[in-house]
C-alpha cells in the first residue's frame, strides 16, 4: 500500500511498534554474510525475534525451589499476568507456539520466502474472479521478486528433485515435483550467495529515499487505537505511542490502513471498539508434519559419475582432497516443491533452511541433511478464533489475545494421510536424522494463521 500510494503521489506515514533492524528498512536479516555461510546460526535470530502471543498461566511452583525462597499462596497466580501469561487461555485450545515479530518488516525479516500460488479450487478463495487473481498474483510476484530458478544449478537441489520425481511419477503436470517458487535473487557479483526478499523489496525505491518527502517511517511507534467520529462513519485520528520517547501523538489522515498480521490487526480493531461479529473468527492454521533426513548413500554415490556435475566435483576434490562428501561446500541448498493437488490437500517443501526448530548438531554434515515440511489445510470454522480480553493486556499494554482452536474429524484424517505421504518422500531420500524423526509441530509454530 505504501509504495503504490507514494508512487501515485500521495503522502504516507507508516508506524511500526518494533525497532528497525537493518539500514534498509525491513530487509531480510538472512542476507548477512555470516548466515549465508552458516545457515543454522540464523535459527537463534528467528527465535530472538518471536514473541509468543498467549501463554497459559502456570500456578505450580517448581518442586526443586529452595524452600526458603519467597512464595505466596499459589492460588493467587490464577489471575496473574506476566510476559504474556494468560489466565484466560484454555491450554487445550491454544495455539501455543503462535508468535508475532515486532520490528520494521515484521516476519519478512526472517521468513522462508516461499511464494507458491494457491490451488485454484482447493485453496483459493472464490471472492475474486480467476482473472483478477491472476492479475493480483502477478503484481505480488513482481513486488516480492519471485523466482523459480535461483537454485537450479545446485547439485543437491537436482538430485533431491529427481529422486522425488521418480517416486511421484503419477502426479500430473503442473502438480508434480518441481522447483519451489521463492522471493529471492542470486547475486551477480558472487553467485555463491543470494539476496532474500523482505519488506524493503516491496517498498522498492522508496526504501532508498526516492519519494520526494512523501513517505515517512517511524519505528518504535505503536498505534494504540483508531478514534472514530461521533456518528462512527469515519476514523478521525490514530492515537500513536512513541515508545522511545514515551509520548502520545495524534495523527490525522484521509485514510488509515491497518496491516498488522492475523493477530495484531484484530487486536487494534478491538482496542478501537471496532468489533464486528466476524472479528477474529474463522481462524485457520496450517498443521505441519516435519522431519529431517540424511541423504541415502546411493543418491550421494551417483554424484561423482554424473557428467552434469563432473567439473564442480573435480574442482572441489582438488581444493579439498580429504573431503569424504562429493558435494562442494558452497553448493546451494535444495528448494523443491510438491504442490497441492486433487487428493493431496497439503503443500510440501523439501529444502534446507533455518527455522526456530529442527536445528542440526554441529558434528553432522549439513550438506547431507534435507528438511521435509508438509503443510496441511484446515477447514474454516466460525468457532475457531482469536478473542481479546477486556481485563488483561499484553507486553505492549494492548488487549491480551486468547485462542480457541480445534480441528474437526476430516481435518484430523487429512493430517494423518499427510504424515503418511511425508514418510513416503522421506524413505525415498534417506534415513531420519536422530532427534528429527517424523513429528507434528506444536500448533501455531508454522506462523501461518489467517482468518
Amino acid at each position: 500500500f505504501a509504495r503504490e500510494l507514494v508512487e501515485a503521489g500521495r503522502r504516507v506515514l507508516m508506524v511500526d511498534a518494533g525497532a528497525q533492524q537493518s539500514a534498509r528498512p525491513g530487509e531480510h536479516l538472512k542476507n548477512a554474510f555470516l548466515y549465508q555461510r552458516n545457515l543454522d546460526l540464523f535459527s537463534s535470530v528467528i527465535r530472538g525475534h518471536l514473541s509468543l502471543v498467549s501463554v497459559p498461566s502456570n500456578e505450580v511452583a517448581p518442586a526443586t525451589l529452595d524452600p526458603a525462597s519467597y512464595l505466596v499462596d499459589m492460588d493467587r497466580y490464577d489471575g496473574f499476568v506476566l510476559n504474556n501469561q494468560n489466565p484466560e487461555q484454555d491450554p487445550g485450545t491454544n495455539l501455543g507456539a503462535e508468535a508475532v515479530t515486532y520490528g520494521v518488516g515484521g516476519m519478512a525479516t526472517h521468513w522462508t520466502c516461499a511464494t507458491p500460488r494457491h490451488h485454484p479450487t482447493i485453496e483459493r478463495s472464490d471472492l475474486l474472479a480467476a482473472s483478477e487473481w491472476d492479475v493480483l498474483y502477478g503484481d505480488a510476484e513482481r513486488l516480492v521478486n519471485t523466482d523459480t530458478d535461483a537454485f537450479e544449478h545446485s547439485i543437491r537441489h537436482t538430485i533431491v528433485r529427481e529422486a522425488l520425481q521418480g517416486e511421484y511419477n503419477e502426479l500430473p503436470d503442473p502438480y508434480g515435483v518441481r522447483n519451489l517458487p521463492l522471493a529471492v535473487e542470486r547475486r551477480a557479483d558472487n553467485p555463491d550467495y543470494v539476496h532474500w526478499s523482505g519488506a524493503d523489496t516491496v517498498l522498492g525505491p522508496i526504501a532508498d529515499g526516492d519519494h520526494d518527502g512523501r513517505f515517512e517511517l517511524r519505528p518504535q511507534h505503536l498505534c494504540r487505537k483508531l478514534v472514530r467520529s461521533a456518528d462512527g462513519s469515519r476514523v478521525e485520528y490514530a492515537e500513536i505511542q512513541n515508545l522511545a520517547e514515551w509520548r502520545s501523538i495524534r495523527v490525522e489522515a484521509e485514510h488509515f490502513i491497518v496491516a498488522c498480521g492475523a493477530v495484531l490487526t484484530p487486536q487494534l480493531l478491538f482496542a478501537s471498539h471496532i468489533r464486528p461479529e466476524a472479528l477474529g473468527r474463522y481462524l485457520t492454521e496450517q498443521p505441519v508434519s516435519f522431519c529431517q533426513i540424511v541423504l541415502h548413500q546411493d543418491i550421494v554415490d551417483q554424484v561423482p559419475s554424473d557428467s552434469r556435475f563432473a567439473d564442480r566435483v573435480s574442482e572441489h576434490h582438488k581444493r579439498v582432497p580429504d573431503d569424504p562428501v562429493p558435494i562442494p561446500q558452497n553448493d546451494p541448498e535444495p528448494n523443491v516443491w510438491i504442490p497441492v493437488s486433487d487428493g493431496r490437500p497439503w503443500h510440501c517443501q523439501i529444502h534446507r533452511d533455518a527455522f526456530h526448530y529442527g536445528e542440526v548438531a554441529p558434528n553432522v554434515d549439513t550438506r547431507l541433511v534435507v528438511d521435509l515440511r508438509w503443510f496441511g489445510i484446515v477447514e474454516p470454522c466460525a468457532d475457531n478464533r482469536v478473542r481479546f480480553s477486556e481485563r488483561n493486556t499484553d507486553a505492549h499494554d494492548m488487549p491480551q489475545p486468547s485462542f480457541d482452536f480445534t480441528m474437526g474429524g476430516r481435518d484430523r484424517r487429512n493430517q494423518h494421510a499427510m504424515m503418511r505421504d511425508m514418510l513416503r518422500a522421506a524413505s525415498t531420500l534417506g534415513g531420519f536424522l536422530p532427534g528429527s524423526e517424523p513429528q507434528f509441530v506444536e500448533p501455531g509454530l508454522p506462523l501461518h494463521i489467517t482468518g
Side-chain angles (χ1 to χ4, degrees):
F1 285 109
R3 176 174 175 173
E4 296 202 349
L5 287 168
V6 169
E7 289 178 347
R10 307 299 291 270
R11 291 181 60 223
V12 173
L13 170 67
M14 181 189 293
V15 300
D16 197 299
Q20 183 170 319
Q21 307 289 340
S22 54
R24 201 166 191 254
E27 182 175 2
H28 199 306
L29 299 177
K30 196 168 62 175
N31 288 326
F33 177 82
L34 182 62
Y35 304 131
Q36 299 249 345
R37 291 299 296 268
N38 187 345
L39 186 63
D40 290 291
L41 291 175
F42 195 65
S43 298
S44 60
V45 176
I46 299 174
R47 283 195 298 272
H49 286 86
L50 292 176
S51 298
L52 292 176
V53 172
S54 182
V55 181
S57 297
N58 183 358
E59 64 271 20
V60 179
T64 55
L65 185 67
D66 187 323
S69 297
Y70 176 80
L71 278 180
V72 296
D73 178 1
M74 296 307 294
D75 289 341
R76 294 177 60 183
Y77 276 88
D78 285 345
F80 184 68
V81 178
L82 180 68
N83 297 333
N84 284 357
Q85 289 183 46
N86 182 5
E88 298 178 33
Q89 179 65 64
D90 178 352
T93 61
N94 192 23
L95 295 178
E98 183 60 41
V100 296
T101 293
Y102 295 98
V104 174
M107 294 285 184
T109 58
H110 56 70
W111 68 310
T112 315
C113 292
T115 58
R117 294 190 179 197
H118 278 157
H119 187 281
T121 58
I122 298 174
E123 297 177 287
R124 198 167 66 191
S125 168
D126 60 3
L127 291 173
L128 304 175
S131 58
E132 187 171 359
W133 272 115
D134 287 340
V135 171
L136 294 174
Y137 266 125
D139 289 343
E141 288 162 350
R142 172 181 54 82
L143 287 168
V144 300
N145 197 28
T146 287
D147 182 272
T148 58
D149 298 322
F151 293 83
E152 181 65 31
H153 72 292
S154 162
I155 294 174
R156 289 185 292 166
H157 175 83
T158 302
I159 61 177
V160 167
R161 182 187 61 197
E162 291 180 353
L164 291 173
Q165 285 172 337
E167 174 63 27
Y168 287 93
N169 56 18
E170 79 279 6
L171 296 178
D173 188 65
Y175 300 113
V177 179
R178 54 197 296 199
N179 295 350
L180 178 66
L182 293 165
V184 68
E185 184 174 4
R186 191 152 293 280
R187 287 172 47 174
D189 54 351
N190 187 344
D192 285 350
Y193 303 102
V194 296
H195 186 89
W196 298 100
S197 297
D200 66 315
T201 310
V202 179
L203 288 171
I206 69 174
D208 297 316
D210 184 13
H211 48 68
D212 295 328
R214 294 195 301 273
F215 177 69
E216 182 182 359
L217 169 64
R218 295 189 188 180
Q220 299 195 78
H221 280 65
L222 171 71
C223 184
R224 291 212 171 275
K225 62 181 175 180
L226 305 172
V227 179
R228 290 184 292 172
S229 58
D231 63 2
S233 62
R234 65 180 302 273
V235 174
E236 287 193 340
Y237 66 92
E239 183 182 300
I240 308 295
Q241 184 81 38
N242 181 332
L243 301 176
E245 300 175 6
W246 203 249
R247 58 189 179 91
S248 184
I249 302 169
R250 173 177 168 140
V251 174
E252 299 179 4
E254 289 183 49
H255 301 282
F256 297 84
I257 296 170
V258 181
C260 315
V263 175
L264 302 187
T265 290
Q267 181 191 59
L268 176 54
L269 297 180
F270 183 88
S272 306
H273 294 279
I274 301 172
R275 303 176 183 180
E277 176 64 22
L279 189 70
R281 290 187 176 271
Y282 292 99
L283 185 153
T284 64
E285 113 104 347
Q286 285 200 293
V288 167
S289 58
F290 163 74
C291 69
Q292 292 177 298
I293 61 95
V294 179
L295 285 174
H296 198 291
Q297 178 89 40
D298 290 347
I299 295 176
V300 178
D301 285 347
Q302 293 172 13
V303 171
S305 60
D306 193 315
S307 60
R308 296 173 296 177
F309 314 138
D311 290 344
R312 279 176 282 168
V313 173
S314 175
E315 181 62 30
H316 171 64
H317 280 154
K318 288 178 183 177
R319 190 170 62 252
V320 193
D322 296 328
D323 191 344
V325 179
I327 299 173
Q329 293 169 339
N330 61 351
D331 183 63
E333 60 271 14
N335 275 284
V336 179
W337 175 39
I338 309 177
V340 171
S341 59
D342 288 331
R344 294 175 50 84
W346 47 80
H347 157 94
C348 313
Q349 290 182 200
I350 306 96
H351 57 164
R352 191 72 266 286
D353 203 356
F355 278 73
H356 46 300
Y357 61 96
E359 291 183 78
V360 176
N363 61 336
V364 176
D365 195 318
T366 58
R367 289 173 293 174
L368 303 177
V369 176
V370 177
D371 301 356
L372 279 67
R373 290 176 174 86
W374 263 228
F375 295 85
I377 296 173
V378 172
E379 293 293 326
C381 170
D383 292 332
N384 284 339
R385 67 182 302 185
V386 55
R387 51 187 171 80
F388 301 93
S389 177
E390 297 275 14
R391 173 186 175 190
N392 298 313
T393 59
D394 65 9
H396 286 82
D397 295 322
M398 295 290 283
Q400 171 68 52
S402 298
F403 295 105
D404 294 318
F405 181 82
T406 57
M407 281 192 286
R410 180 182 176 186
D411 295 328
R412 295 174 185 274
R413 288 188 294 272
N414 278 339
Q415 306 328 309
H416 180 69
M418 179 177 77
M419 172 64 85
R420 289 183 62 186
D421 185 65
M422 188 185 74
L423 296 178
R424 175 185 176 186
S427 62
T428 300
L429 293 175
F432 299 116
L433 181 70
S436 289
E437 292 84 2
Q439 59 194 276
F440 284 98
V441 304
E442 185 176 1
L445 196 64
L447 307 173
H448 286 176
I449 69 170
T450 61

